[in-house]
Structure formats: C-alpha cells, structure tokens
Amino acid sequence: MVGRNNSFEVEFILLGFSDFPHFHDILFGIFLVIYMSIFLGNGLIILIAMIDPTLQTPMYFFLGNFSFLEICYTSITIPRMLTDLWTQKQNISLLACAVQLGFLLMLGATECFLLTVMAYDRYVAICKPLNYPLIMNHKMCVQLVSCSWTIGIPVQLGLTYQIFSLPFCGSKKLNHIFCDIRPVLKVACGDTSVKEFSLYATVVMFGVVPFVLILCSYIRIIGTILKLPSAMGRSKAFSTCSSHVIVVALFFLSVIVTYLQPKSAHSEGNDNFFLFSTPL
C-alpha cells in the first residue's frame, strides 16, 4: 500500500528538448506558429463547412470532424510543450502524464476510425454513385462519426490504467517530448511484458484493422476509376481521394514505426520525428 500511495507522488522529467538548451526561445516560437496555424486553419475549415450551403455534404461533414479532431490532438501536446519551453521546466506529474496519454490514445483511435469512415465515404461515392444519397444519409453520417469518437474510449482507458498501475522506481526521465507509452514503460519497475502485449493488441485492433479496411476500399475505388471511359473523369475521381490517401499513408506509417517495431530497432528520436511528421 505504501508503494502504491507513493506512486501518486511520482513526477516524470521530459527530456525531449534537453539537448537544445540554447534554442528554447526559437523552438517556442516555431511551435507557437505551428499550433496557431493548426488551430486557425482547421477552425476555418470547420467554419466554412458549417456556413456554406454547397458544402453540406457527407465528405465535408467528415472533414469538419477530422479538423476538430486535429485541433484536439495538438491541444493535448503542444500547449504543454510551449509551457515547458517558456518556464524551462520539464517535470510532469504522474496524473498529468496519465491524462495526457489517455487522451492521446483515445484521439488516436478516433483518427483511425475517422480515416476509415472517410475511405468508406469515397468508396460509396465512386463505386456506388446512384445509391450514395441513400446510403450516406445524414443519420448514417452522424452514427458513423459518433462511433468513431466513442468506440475506442473503454479500451484506451483500460490500457492507460494498466500502464500507470505499474510501480515506478529509479530514473523518472522520459526521453520524449510528451508522455507516450514506450517511454513510460521504459521507466516502470517489474515485468512489463503483459502491458507491452496489450499495446500490440491495441495497435492491431485500432490501427492495423482500420488500415486493412481502408486498403480494401481503395483497391475497389482504383478498380472502378480505371474503368471510367474518359481521362478527365479518372483525373477528377483520383483528385477527390489524393489528399485522404496522403493523410492515411503518413498517419499509419508513423503508428507502425512508433508502436509496432521491435525493441531492438526502437529509438525515441525516431518516435519524435514520426509523431511530428503526421499530418496535423
């Protein structure tokens, strides 16, 4: 009981920017500009999609939700990073770390499912255009988005609880720019193999399965597009999917490299790079 009670007093130290002590002001400015750009850009997309009658379509409904998700996603990490750079303090409490990780996992699962829903929307629009208004009606769109936002919450909260129920002893230094699963498990005491298995199972459930569904959708989409008689029609169809394909490729590549690579090949530096190379 004493060990469990003391665990609530644990503070981690984020070492992500410790190698650049003389560039904190520059990094603060860079990340502030990035955050404001993400916030204003995605906010503008949401506003335009809401007020423009010509954009009241399923595609822009999903895009508005995706933009809101990106605002939430970056708001979990960047404001905290800006505070650390401004105050030059790198410590974060166990509770704050758990809350940050929990929200990141839930929003990450939501992103996987939203990307899958957007792929399904493009599949119906291109492969079944005559039935598109009937299949992708407003009720169906709301149900798909609601499921995307909520379906991963119980599992991700359970995974977060499993991780932070471990005892932490010795070094509390996380070689990362925010609280993530691998850096936290690295400083945990005892056997973490069960938690690591839970991590892999979660990534397969919320990462690999949606990716396979998206891949199947685009195989059907490409097959349909190639059958179109006119080059202009094929070009227009491809253009409606190109941005989504780029987002899917970058996002799932970062997830695979960050969470599914073996320990022997794992590097926190690679994590930082790939997590910030995802489309924000």
Side-chain angles (χ1 to χ4, degrees):
M1 284 297 294
V2 173
R4 179 59 60 88
N5 290 336
N6 288 339
S7 67
F8 289 101
E9 302 174 3
V10 170
E11 280 198 342
F12 299 110
I13 300 174
L14 298 170
L15 301 179
F17 299 113
S18 59
D19 294 335
F20 311 100
H22 303 297
F23 296 96
H24 280 194
D25 292 340
I26 297 175
L27 290 171
F28 178 87
I30 292 173
F31 282 112
L32 180 61
V33 171
I34 291 174
Y35 181 63
M36 294 305 297
S37 300
I38 293 168
F39 192 90
L40 294 175
N42 285 287
L44 186 61
I45 292 173
I46 296 170
L47 181 62
I48 293 174
M50 290 177 61
I51 64 177
D52 191 338
T54 62
L55 301 182
Q56 304 299 312
T57 62
M59 183 176 72
Y60 286 97
F61 176 70
F62 297 136
L63 181 60
N65 273 272
F66 190 79
S67 296
F68 179 69
L69 172 68
E70 294 306 308
I71 292 175
C72 296
Y73 208 103
T74 53
S75 296
I76 299 300
T77 54
I78 295 185
R80 175 78 199 199
M81 290 162 51
L82 292 174
T83 302
D84 292 344
L85 289 169
W86 182 261
T87 61
Q88 297 188 4
K89 293 181 180 179
Q90 300 169 300
N91 58 304
I92 181 171
S93 68
L94 182 143
L95 179 60
C97 189
V99 170
Q100 185 181 67
L101 179 57
F103 274 108
L104 284 174
L105 292 176
M106 288 187 288
L107 292 174
T110 300
E111 184 157 4
C112 290
F113 288 120
L114 267 181
L115 289 172
T116 307
V117 167
M118 294 170 77
Y120 176 70
D121 173 68
R122 291 299 84 205
Y123 161 74
V124 177
I126 294 174
C127 299
K128 300 182 179 181
L130 297 180
N131 295 326
Y132 182 73
L134 296 176
I135 297 175
M136 300 305 294
N137 56 67
H138 181 69
K139 181 179 179 180
M140 174 62 72
C141 293
V142 171
Q143 289 176 342
L144 289 172
V145 167
S146 299
C147 289
S148 298
W149 278 96
T150 59
I151 195 170
I153 291 177
V155 176
Q156 304 298 1
L157 285 179
L159 179 60
T160 304
Y161 174 78
Q162 284 187 0
I163 293 170
F164 286 92
S165 64
L166 290 167
F168 297 95
C169 53
S171 174
K172 307 299 187 303
K173 296 179 179 180
L174 306 181
N175 191 15
H176 211 52
I177 52 181
F178 54 83
C179 288
D180 202 4
I181 296 176
R182 284 188 181 272
V184 173
L185 287 177
K186 194 172 182 180
V187 300
C189 301
D191 184 15
T192 61
S193 58
V194 175
K195 274 62 177 180
E196 290 176 0
F197 176 79
S198 299
L199 167 61
Y200 290 127
T202 302
V203 172
V204 169
M205 184 187 305
F206 295 103
V208 176
V209 172
F211 179 74
V212 171
L213 293 175
I214 293 172
L215 190 61
C216 292
S217 297
Y218 273 102
I219 290 173
R220 297 290 300 274
I221 288 171
I222 293 172
T224 301
I225 291 175
L226 293 177
K227 294 178 183 178
L228 295 177
S230 67
M232 183 176 294
R234 290 194 295 270
S235 176
K236 184 178 180 180
F238 275 121
S239 67
T240 63
C241 303
S242 57
S243 59
H244 181 256
V245 170
I246 293 172
V247 171
V248 168
L250 289 174
F251 177 75
F252 283 100
L253 175 63
S254 67
V255 170
I256 291 170
V257 171
T258 302
Y259 297 112
L260 289 183
Q261 62 177 321
K263 276 187 174 181
S264 58
H266 184 258
S267 168
E268 285 83 358
N270 290 340
D271 285 358
N272 293 340
F273 173 78
F274 278 103
L275 285 169
F276 271 91
S277 66
T278 53
L280 299 176

